[in-house]
Amino acid sequence: MSVAKMLSIGRLCEYNFSQGKPSSDPAPSLQSRLFNLLLGLLPDKGQLASVEAVQAHVQKLALAPASFEPTGLGRGVEATLTKMGGWPVYYTTPSSGYEGCNFVMFLHGGGYINEIVPAHWRFVGEMTRKAGVVCVVPIYPLAPRATAKDVVPKTAELLRMLLEDAGAAEVTVVGNSAGAGLALAACQWLRDRGHRQPNRLVLISPAADASVSRPEQMAIAARDPIQDIPGIVEAGRLYAGALDIGHPFVSPLNGAFRSVAPMTIFSGTRDLLYPDSVDLTARARAAGVPVELHLLRDQPHNYALMPTPEGRRARKMILHAIA
């Protein structure tokens, strides 16, 4: 059973840099602890345990590509499919109308090798319905068929066009995991070419450094119920293509942060990527970028999308930010 299927069945505190731990450090809820145990029973971590496992997974997807059609948007949401720059792009709008709505560009996770899944679409539906926004969801091509050299500029161009079309409406870019890394890289690309930034970036468990090379991440990986280092590095290598894995298109943590959009970041200490969120926060703040980091003890990768009290609180904060 996949994480996405479990989520379909299932249906923050500021980081203190002086102490090096979450400032109020609340204990995880019972529901969250049980969910962590259930996540550990799924095959997802095994699929990232080795280079060979990732390559086999990618070959399987090449033979039988996953559907990207919206599933689980829920009532009160309408979806329209269009093509922009050769990519399928969905617009979701409240059924009650979208006059005067703000906009969200949502970039899905999946390690750049996995397609958007029903759990992502449910989140898109929730944002559309509860925050009353128009969501723009690019179905970007996956690695190794497409690589960062093409995906980042094209995503940035789509965002640039959305910013132009939005007029006075606010535009927020929301991304989870790989999608959060893509969101940050696209905003760095826009900045470097003198284009407008979105009003805010919401980064959920961002994949900001594809090298996964910090010594402490080895220990965190043993506690992470979903991810493992060899598979993440291999997925990053496939996405990098001809680029170095440290290139800012692939690892935006290595890019410049001056004049990028304000950020809200969600991460948890059972996520082997969480040290990158801490470093990302520090580098962005040093460049004068306002950042809110919500780092919760013992929360896994993408906890903000999960059916737990901590996930619901995070989504409530996101809905408030984008409305």
Side-chain angles (χ1 to χ4, degrees):
M1 183 185 295
S2 67
V3 170
K5 189 171 289 186
M6 172 163 287
L7 289 174
S8 70
I9 294 172
R11 351 244 227 268
L12 295 181
C13 61
E14 188 71 15
Y15 194 83
N16 186 325
F17 284 94
S18 64
Q19 297 180 16
K21 61 182 181 180
S23 53
S24 42
D25 204 19
S29 67
L30 175 60
Q31 190 174 349
S32 174
R33 294 198 297 272
L34 291 174
F35 203 74
N36 268 324
L37 291 174
L38 289 172
L39 288 172
L41 299 177
L42 299 180
D44 297 72
K45 183 161 183 144
Q47 292 172 357
L48 292 172
S50 68
V51 170
E52 293 76 17
V54 169
Q55 291 176 346
H57 179 66
V58 168
Q59 290 171 4
K60 180 180 177 181
L61 290 176
L63 295 173
S67 172
F68 55 73
E69 294 182 359
T71 302
L73 288 171
R75 295 182 179 179
V77 178
E78 297 180 1
T80 303
L81 174 63
T82 185
K83 282 243 180 175
M84 299 179 68
W87 290 3
V89 177
Y90 283 93
Y91 282 73
T92 65
T93 58
S95 299
S96 57
Y98 50 90
E99 183 89 20
C101 287
N102 290 327
F103 291 84
V104 168
M105 175 176 277
F106 177 71
L107 298 170
H108 70 84
Y112 303 111
I113 59 174
N114 291 300
E115 193 54 86
I116 189 169
V117 297
H120 296 134
W121 284 120
R122 282 194 295 278
F123 181 46
V124 169
E126 185 176 7
M127 290 191 288
T128 306
R129 182 172 52 255
K130 293 185 178 179
V133 297
V134 175
C135 285
V136 181
V137 187
I139 306 300
Y140 58 87
L142 303 173
R145 178 169 59 91
T147 64
K149 182 179 179 181
D150 297 317
V151 172
V152 170
K154 198 165 224 181
T155 301
E157 275 293 330
L158 292 178
L159 178 55
R160 182 189 63 78
M161 289 189 286
L162 174 59
L163 289 164
E164 287 183 356
D165 292 343
E170 291 193 356
V171 176
T172 303
V173 183
V174 179
N176 76 289
S177 193
L182 176 56
L184 180 55
C187 285
Q188 291 171 338
W189 189 96
L190 288 177
R191 184 271 323 280
D192 290 344
R193 286 151 186 81
H195 298 301
R196 172 188 165 191
Q197 288 285 298
N199 295 83
R200 178 168 290 276
L201 280 166
V202 175
L203 307 177
I204 300 168
S205 298
D209 181 359
S211 71
V212 199
S213 56
R214 300 168 186 268
E216 64 269 30
Q217 287 176 306
M218 293 292 293
I220 301 168
R223 301 176 61 247
D224 188 321
I226 302 173
Q227 305 174 108
D228 212 343
I229 293 173
I232 293 178
V233 173
E234 176 62 9
R237 185 191 68 80
L238 294 173
Y239 178 60
L243 298 176
D244 186 86
I245 202 168
H247 191 285
F249 280 12
V250 185
S251 299
L253 186 62
N254 297 329
F257 290 93
R258 55 180 172 75
S259 303
V260 298
M263 303 178 199
T264 302
I265 304 172
F266 297 89
S267 191
T269 63
R270 273 186 179 263
D271 180 354
L272 70 84
L273 301 183
Y274 97 79
D276 296 339
S277 290
V278 175
D279 201 6
L280 170 57
T281 299
R283 295 187 192 188
R285 284 178 176 166
V289 176
V291 184
E292 298 174 10
L293 172 61
H294 302 279
L295 177 65
L296 295 192
R297 177 163 59 118
D298 280 342
Q299 293 304 307
H301 188 67
N302 283 336
Y303 85 85
L305 300 187
M306 293 183 177
T308 60
E310 291 84 355
R312 287 188 285 271
R313 284 196 295 271
R315 291 196 298 280
K316 185 176 180 181
M317 295 172 66
I318 294 169
L319 294 174
H320 177 75
I322 67 177

